[in-house]
Amino acid sequence: MNSAQQLVKCLEHEGVEYIFGIPGEENIGIMDALLSSKIEFITTRHEQGAAFMADVYGRLTGRAGVCMSTLGPGATNLVTGVADANMDRAPIVAIAGQGATTRLHKESHQILDLVNLFDPITKYSVQILEPEIVPEVVRKAFKNAQAEKPGAAFIDFPENVADMEHEYIEPLKVQSPQHPVAPLGSAKRVLKALSEAKNPVIIAGNGVIRFDACDELLAFAEAANAPVATSFMAKGAIPSSHPLSIGTVGMKAHDLVAFGIEESDLVICIGLDMVEYTPSFWNPNADIRIISIDASPAEVDTHFIPDIGMVGDIKDSLSRLAKRANAHTDNTITDLHHSIKAELCAHADDTGFPVKPQKIICDLRAVMDPEDIVISDVGAHKMWMARMFQAERPNTCIISNGFASMGIALPGAIAAKLVHPDRNILAVAGDSGFMMNNQEIETALRLKLNITIIIFNDNKYGLIEWHQMREYGRSSHIDVTNPDFVKFAESFGAKGYYVKRAEDLQDVLKTAMNDGTVSIIDCPVDYSENMKLTARLKTLESPLEGKSK
């Protein structure tokens, strides 16, 4: 067989179900080999969309999603999605065709040094130069991508190497190292610090979900009677409805959850990545006592110096702690739950138009089952989703908050539907983010997928306006003009809806979710609420005043 066929055999051996990408001249050997493979190639309309699909596939499954492009501009189009996966800890393997090795040493058509281009945004970047190393390269790429903390790997595959014939080589055995358990001594120190604290608080990060440790997190929190805040990317690690849930951290502004951290005398960070929430926002004076429970040592940061580091398998660590922790019967921070719940439901019956973002999110939650999945794009709506959407299960609210790239929602929804065909999948996007990868509507229709996209439409780069108004009191160069999104949807063969009244939104959502095809909802949004929230958070008073230490 040739090297391209060998590569495909190795991908099959890794359990690859889908490759997302676009065929090109320099990867036609792989494309031909896939005709004889059980791997399904998903032809996308842009390589960035392909990378985002692989990204979300990796987040939801824990197995590396695979995307592919040709050389040059095809490969550079992968960069944003690959960087997003790498910084958001999603396992992904990107493969790019390359020109023949006989022209890599000189100026030549579409030739770029792709290995060095991808090196800063991956955990492993390599070029295949000999057929014999294909099994090792593929195994190493997947091992690196999937190892904690997961991320991206990149394979550069020159076209002449892909065509080289050789004897078939068995793919290497698929192995993943067992995570070491934390030393017994560190568990004892954590328990001692916990027993000495009066008002401990837990901040759970995405690592809890990656380790499938949500049940253990809940057991530990209940055993210690310690309230839990989650990062954007850990929403659902504890059900939002649980009495110990005190909301989401991640906003720079001083939100209700911040009072819980301030009133705490011990913050236990579990699987929290620094890319999710800069410690200086919640520990500005670097004086909070911190415990870090994670699979790797804590990042060095002036505002994040743990007193105790419990390094090892997160699931095992939490299980051991839950069995021996004693409840804090007088932990007053648990009272935050009721204040936050009231805040989240305050606009459920609002009839204002354009529709307030709080109302849109309340209605989204009302029509979705607990296991349904929402993929949030990046923009002003992301901040509202992170703050208000009440996730009851892990990996049911996917938010990119490491690299935080616009354009992920629609491609991400396609991947989510392929992973979970039995669930409702909703993509939430701003008008500007939606326009960045709207071409993937055709991909979703071709795959006959039932997904719903709701557009928070303000004809602006709304998040940037929010920042500008907060910093300078005026906006600059943020206005855009959008197409008629209903006609735009229909031009693809999708369903299109326009929300005319706030009272209609729930019915429109229910109809769209049951269309059996791609449905796009254009919902005008009242982003005057952005600055109203900023003003209100500045005057927010702690509901815990006089109750704690």
Side-chain angles (χ1 to χ4, degrees), residues 6-23:
Q6 176 79 69
L7 178 83
V8 170
K9 290 294 183 185
C10 291
L11 295 176
E12 289 176 344
H13 189 69
E14 294 288 341
V16 174
E17 296 179 283
Y18 305 103
I19 297 176
F20 305 96
I22 295 180

Side-chain angles (χ1 to χ4, degrees), residues 199-201 227 246 257 259-265 330-337 544 548:
N199 289 297
V201 166
I246 58 168
V257 65
F259 292 115
I261 297 173
E262 289 171 359
E263 297 293 336
S264 171
D265 54 351
D330 59 346
N331 193 335
T332 58
I333 298 174
T334 57
D335 295 342
L336 265 181
H337 175 79
L544 303 175
S548 62

Side-chain angles (χ1 to χ4, degrees), residues 409-441:
L410 173 53
I414 292 172
K417 192 64 177 180
L418 292 172
V419 173
H420 294 293
D422 56 331
R423 301 190 197 181
N424 288 312
I425 308 295
L426 284 88
V428 177
D431 49 339
S432 298
F434 171 75
M435 291 296 287
M436 290 188 177
N437 274 313
N438 58 56
Q439 69 280 346
E440 302 305 339
I441 295 170

Side-chain angles (χ1 to χ4, degrees), residues 50-254:
F52 280 140
M53 291 176 202
D55 176 340
V56 173
Y57 178 95
R59 292 175 202 233
L60 292 176
T61 66
R63 304 188 307 273
V66 180
C67 56
M68 189 169 72
S69 75
T70 189
L71 83 174
T76 59
N77 281 346
L78 290 175
V79 165
T80 297
V82 171
D84 191 86
N86 196 59
M87 194 170 285
D88 281 16
R89 319 302 191 200
I92 182 176
V93 173
I95 303 168
Q98 180 59 287
T101 56
T102 54
R103 62 188 183 99
L104 297 183
H105 65 287
K106 59 185 178 181
E107 184 179 289
S108 188
H109 182 66
Q110 292 190 315
I111 294 296
L112 288 176
D113 183 347
L114 297 179
V115 173
N116 280 322
L117 177 68
F118 280 85
D119 185 69
I121 58 170
T122 59
K123 297 173 68 180
Y124 176 61
S125 182
V126 67
Q127 184 177 70
I128 297 177
L129 292 174
E130 299 291 341
E132 291 78 13
I133 69 171
V134 170
E136 287 184 349
V137 166
V138 172
R139 178 80 282 272
K140 187 168 183 178
F142 278 81
K143 184 177 181 179
N144 275 276
Q146 293 168 173
E148 186 66 22
K149 296 181 177 182
F154 173 73
I155 299 172
D156 173 304
F157 201 14
E159 57 184 336
N160 61 326
V161 179
D163 288 337
M164 291 179 184
E165 294 189 353
H166 60 93
E167 293 293 324
Y168 172 66
I169 305 171
E170 285 290 336
L172 301 185
K173 182 179 180 180
V174 175
Q175 294 177 314
S176 56
Q178 183 174 352
H179 298 290
V181 299
L184 180 61
S186 63
K188 289 180 177 179
R189 292 174 64 202
V190 170
L191 290 165
K192 183 176 184 295
L194 187 60
S195 68
E196 294 170 349
K198 292 183 178 180
N199 289 297
V201 166
I202 295 168
I203 302 179
N206 185 245
V208 174
I209 294 177
R210 295 196 302 267
F211 272 82
D212 189 26
C214 297
D215 290 344
E216 289 75 14
L217 169 68
L218 185 57
F220 173 54
E222 289 177 339
N225 194 35
V228 181
T230 67
S231 69
F232 287 14
M233 296 201 297
K235 288 180 72 69
I238 180 173
S240 294
S241 58
H242 194 283
L244 289 174
S245 172
I246 58 168
T248 308
V249 295
M251 292 186 70
K252 296 179 182 179
H254 195 277

